Amino acid sequence: MKIVARDIPPRSAWALEQAGVHPLLARLYAARGVLGKEELDDGLARLLPPNTLRGTREAAVLLADAIRDDKRLCVVADYDCDGATACAVAVRGLRLLGARHASYLVPDRVTDGYGLTPPIAERVADSGADMLITVDNGIASVEGVAAAKARHLSVLVTDHHLPGSSLPEADVLVNPNQPGCDFESKSIAGVGVMFYVLLALRSELRTRGVFDVATQPKLDALLPLVALGTVADVVRLDANNRRLVAQGLRRIRAGAMPAGIAALFKAAGRNAASATTFDFGFALGPRINAAGRLADMTLGIECLLTDDAGRADELARTLDGINRERRDIEGGMRDKALVLAESLFDDTQAPPAAISVFGADFHEGVVGIVASRIKERFHRPTFVFAASGADGKSHELKGSGRSIPGFHLRDALDLVAKRHPGVLLRFGGHAMAAGCTVAREQFPTFEQALAEVAQEWLDAATLTRRLDTDGPLAPEYLRVDLVDTLHREVWGQGFAPPTFSEEVEVVSQRLVGEKHLALKLKHRGKPVDGIWFGHTEPLPPKVVIAWRLDADEWQGVRRVRFLVEGAEV
């Protein structure tokens, strides 16, 4: 591992500090490209205007007409946290804005597969709906949209994924990544796209005189859901996304949130009054995702839709139990997948440029998480495959991939598809995460083809694990109040949490729980505790480490500790 300190533009840091930003935060923000204090303004008025997101105006007219005519609206969701929160935002928002008939349908990961397929469109039509609205999917659903239109459904596609070579012929498309869209935040999550559609719809209804500024529904009640889905989907936290997340966190900390979010905090043993982005990404998000992986995402969506606190608690406890089961399944799969990955090379070789593994007993709902673990272990683009559990599809393998910086996974799949026509039955995704389906007999071809693309695209520098940090930390900043200050800020993908690095003295070290390294350190001569989760190898007496600041509590006293992220050894 190579630990590298980020550049800190002195002019930006100075300008931020002069504007009243704490010196440590000024340094951190400057290193992340923030040039002035105005960029840190997270007020709603600073959000990008809805009319700059292509299709929102047309979507608003389409929905306003449907509400006026008392049409039946059906939202087709995705089965991850972004899809679940986007569905809850859509249904809650449409009802707030006057829709009397707003229902939803979420595909089953195993039996239905991803997105708006023709069978899903048929089910929506058979339900008696007049309009089909996709959230967090649909931009690649050319056949599904065609099937819906053939059944005389109006179709509104809201999505954020990259489009394919052709667009579906929906009535309206809203997607920042569609051709011709100038919306600045290309990284907005699916839940954010739907929130923007609702903002545009409210504006259209104001124009029609349905209500005015004083009487219009308060859509800010949806921001906790927008924040949760945005962080859980690991989209890049650009300035607009950070504002959406900050606004959601502010409401949650004040106790203003849907009953389901409050119940999920309780089930996860987290304190909503001090909610952080870490809670979204590692506590609430996984519990909602678990429903889509192992059971039925309807459980997650219902948890987010209910206003009954008792019902919310019951659903949150169910989701917590499913998540425990997911962790158990993941642990066994991870161990087997590691063995398979290690079998691809010996001790004298480096890992292949890309890793693909398949296990006959792997669970398709957990392949993405396991791919992430393998990727973290070997620092290679990784796909993990499981046999499809759908009826009549056991000959197909469903794979989920995770990538490393510098390797665009969806583009790599596109090149594999062009070089080997027919190998990929379906594929899609982003730069860092993607999915695909291959016939079982084609797995060796896919494995070799992906490795060849990776070999061509990746060089030695990219294949070397690199940990970017914020460099040394002055001892006066080792304070619990500063830890709390840092935790309250919005950090995440593309706006990395503060990580510091410098040489420390290792006074003592021991294993706890057989898989974590507990450390007594000296940082510039001052003692501090540290912990390296998931690491068992001992450290030398002096070592350069990278760490995040944390605070633990012992006998009522809170103390700073280091959460070790890596070491140069």
Side-chain angles (χ1 to χ4, degrees), residues 240-427:
N240 204 62
N241 280 338
R242 292 201 306 277
R243 291 183 183 111
L244 291 170
V245 173
Q247 287 288 335
L249 280 172
R250 184 172 299 163
R251 285 159 177 77
I252 289 172
R253 291 167 184 163
M257 70 193 106
I261 288 185
L264 286 165
F265 269 98
K266 181 179 175 183
R270 300 281 184 171
N271 181 11
S274 56
T276 68
T277 51
F278 184 90
D279 294 322
F280 290 157
F282 295 93
L284 276 66
R287 282 165 172 79
I288 295 174
N289 278 326
R293 295 183 188 283
L294 300 185
D296 179 0
M297 184 47 93
T298 301
L299 293 168
I301 295 172
E302 284 298 311
C303 184
L304 299 176
L305 280 176
T306 184
D307 292 318
D308 183 319
R311 175 67 172 152
D313 282 339
E314 177 187 348
L315 287 165
R317 287 195 299 270
T318 299
L319 292 170
D320 185 62
I322 296 170
N323 191 51
R324 293 176 190 274
E325 180 187 358
R326 186 273 303 168
R327 284 200 296 257
D328 290 342
I329 293 172
E330 177 198 335
M333 272 180 60
R334 182 185 62 242
D335 292 344
K336 292 177 182 177
L338 280 170
V339 171
L340 289 170
E342 289 169 347
S343 72
L344 299 176
F345 59 99
D346 60 36
D347 293 339
T348 65
Q349 300 172 310
I355 293 173
S356 301
V357 296
F358 160 63
D361 59 346
F362 284 179
H363 192 295
E364 66 180 279
V366 189
V367 286
I369 302 176
V370 175
S372 181
R373 302 290 184 261
I374 303 300
K375 181 264 296 184
E376 290 166 5
R377 174 70 174 269
F378 297 107
H379 192 65
R380 295 292 190 271
T382 299
F383 264 90
V384 175
F385 286 85
S388 172
D391 290 342
K393 294 291 185 67
S394 60
H395 63 287
E396 292 184 358
L397 304 183
K398 288 188 175 180
S400 186
R402 299 294 182 270
S403 196
I404 61 175
F407 189 79
H408 196 297
L409 208 53
R410 188 201 171 278
D411 286 355
L413 291 179
D414 188 51
L415 184 55
V416 168
K418 289 183 169 87
R419 289 179 173 178
H420 302 273
V423 167
L424 289 176
L425 302 177
R426 290 174 293 279
F427 72 92

Side-chain angles (χ1 to χ4, degrees), residues 57-72:
R57 165 67 181 159
E58 294 81 359
V61 171
L62 188 71
L63 289 169
D65 288 348
I67 292 171
R68 178 199 63 200
D69 298 337
D70 204 27
K71 298 288 189 180
R72 305 182 71 86

Side-chain angles (χ1 to χ4, degrees), residues 468-552:
D468 291 315
T469 76
D470 295 291
L473 184 67
E476 60 263 30
Y477 291 143
L478 298 186
R479 305 199 317 261
V480 169
D481 65 312
L482 271 179
V483 173
D484 293 338
T485 295
L486 293 180
H487 284 184
R488 280 193 295 269
E489 300 301 306
V490 174
W491 312 104
Q493 181 71 24
F495 205 77
T499 305
F500 306 97
S501 61
E502 60 188 295
E503 185 177 79
V504 296
E505 181 183 344
V506 180
V507 178
S508 67
Q509 51 191 312
R510 62 186 177 87
L511 283 180
V512 292
E514 298 185 357
K515 56 182 179 180
H516 312 303
L517 193 62
L519 301 160
K520 296 286 185 182
L521 306 170
K522 276 193 176 179
H523 170 257
R524 303 198 191 184
K526 292 187 176 182
V528 62
D529 287 343
I531 182 108
W532 193 345
F533 290 114
H535 184 86
T536 58
E537 296 296 318
L539 294 175
K542 287 189 176 182
V543 61
V544 175
I545 63 168
W547 76 88
R548 289 185 291 112
L549 280 178
D550 190 35
D552 64 345

Side-chain angles (χ1 to χ4, degrees), residues 423-493:
V423 167
L424 289 176
L425 302 177
R426 290 174 293 279
F427 72 92
H430 302 291
M432 301 302 288
C436 66
T437 302
V438 302
R440 188 184 293 244
E441 66 271 15
Q442 295 284 8
F443 173 73
T445 303
F446 171 84
E447 179 181 20
Q448 182 177 349
L450 184 68
E452 287 174 354
V453 174
Q455 189 71 45
E456 295 167 15
W457 288 6
L458 296 171
D459 56 21
T462 312
L463 290 171
T464 300
R465 191 189 305 272
R466 171 183 167 133
L467 182 54
D468 291 315
T469 76
D470 295 291
L473 184 67
E476 60 263 30
Y477 291 143
L478 298 186
R479 305 199 317 261
V480 169
D481 65 312
L482 271 179
V483 173
D484 293 338
T485 295
L486 293 180
H487 284 184
R488 280 193 295 269
E489 300 301 306
V490 174
W491 312 104
Q493 181 71 24

